[in-house]
Amino acid sequence: MSLTIAVGDIHGSLPKLRLLLARCEEYAEGRHVSFVFLGDYIDRGPQSAGVVGCVMDLQSKLADRVIALKGNHEAMALTAVDDAVAAEHWLAQGGAETLRSYRAVNVNELPDAHLDWMRSLRLSHDDGRRFFVHAGVDPRRPLSAQHDRDLYWIREPFLSDRRDYGRLIVHGHTPLNGRNPDQRTNRLNIDTGAVFGGPLTAAVFNDVEIGPIAFLQAD
């Protein structure tokens, strides 16, 4: 039986990412595994450059078995490339730490390969049972008609909405206060605040059940 493993917001927490990937490999015990990263690889934490490189390396090894989604922090960094006002906002939201990790003075000094990778990131992934996305969805719209910005920025009215979307919405973006993921009937939040001292969390899914069969964490 194959597994799909979703990984929450990393925010430059490279040691936690490496430890979590090792735990995922141990858990899989040789089974076929696909990864879905929910975005926010950069900003706030000290090793954004290393995190982006790590995920890119994993993609090069596993190809289409690694799906990397765009978070609002990648979106902010890309907007900052051409907009000085946006650049100031990005720096205040953790971009300064990202520049330090790249030993760069401004966002335009980030490696072209990393910026191109951020531009290539998908906004969502639908596997028929789950809808993976960074922030959530607008509950007033069908999944096929979402606005891009909502997919990586929305909180309300999504977080308090209880409707059935026909998929379990697996997301991050809104850091949780405790160590545990927030599992509801219609959505699952796995942002356990890795950059704020919490663990980095992964949710494990199989091809039979809709909900997660396990959670893996790295402190």
Side-chain angles (χ1 to χ4, degrees):
M1 181 180 296
S2 63
L3 302 175
T4 297
I5 299 180
V7 179
D9 301 39
I10 305 166
H11 281 301
S13 303
L14 183 59
K16 292 181 182 181
L17 174 59
R18 286 176 171 162
L19 179 57
L20 184 62
L21 291 175
R23 289 183 173 164
C24 291
E25 183 178 3
E26 180 181 0
Y27 180 88
E29 295 182 327
R31 286 172 288 185
H32 183 279
V33 175
S34 296
F35 289 93
V36 183
F37 290 89
L38 300 182
D40 278 8
Y41 313 93
I42 64 171
D43 298 350
R44 295 186 175 141
Q47 294 178 282
S48 293
V51 168
V52 172
C54 182
V55 178
M56 290 175 68
D57 287 346
L58 192 65
Q59 279 187 316
S60 69
K61 294 174 184 175
L62 301 182
D64 58 1
R65 289 165 54 195
V66 175
I67 295 168
L69 303 182
K70 182 181 292 184
N72 61 301
H73 282 263
E74 288 75 50
M76 283 192 290
L78 292 173
T79 302
V81 171
D82 300 312
D83 186 325
V85 175
E88 290 299 318
H89 176 69
W90 173 63
L91 290 173
Q93 296 298 314
E97 288 86 347
T98 295
L99 291 184
R100 280 195 288 272
S101 78
Y102 282 96
R103 298 181 180 178
V105 175
N106 59 62
V107 68
N108 293 283
E109 293 184 3
L110 268 59
D112 288 342
H114 285 207
L115 289 172
D116 289 343
W117 180 79
M118 291 183 204
R119 293 185 183 100
S120 75
L121 298 174
R122 297 167 55 173
L123 298 181
S124 64
H125 172 62
D126 187 342
D127 71 358
R129 294 178 177 84
R130 281 83 45 167
F131 188 84
F132 300 89
V133 67
H134 176 65
V137 299
D138 184 342
R140 299 162 296 189
R141 294 178 171 273
L143 296 182
S144 60
Q146 294 290 312
H147 290 156
D148 290 358
R149 183 177 174 84
D150 286 331
L151 295 175
Y152 53 76
W153 270 112
I154 199 168
R155 287 196 168 102
E156 294 297 349
F158 167 65
L159 294 176
S160 58
D161 199 281
R162 298 183 179 181
R163 76 189 68 193
D164 184 351
Y165 298 103
R167 302 284 192 278
L168 177 68
I169 310 298
V170 182
H171 68 98
H173 181 57
T174 300
L176 298 161
N177 291 325
R179 296 176 53 87
N180 298 321
D182 182 10
Q183 187 171 356
R184 309 288 180 96
T185 57
N186 63 348
R187 66 177 181 86
L188 171 66
N189 181 2
I190 59 170
D191 181 3
T192 47
V195 75
F196 301 117
L200 180 62
T201 295
V204 184
F205 302 91
N206 63 23
D207 296 332
V208 177
E209 301 167 69
I210 295 174
I213 60 171
F215 293 110
L216 306 175
Q217 293 186 320
D219 281 297

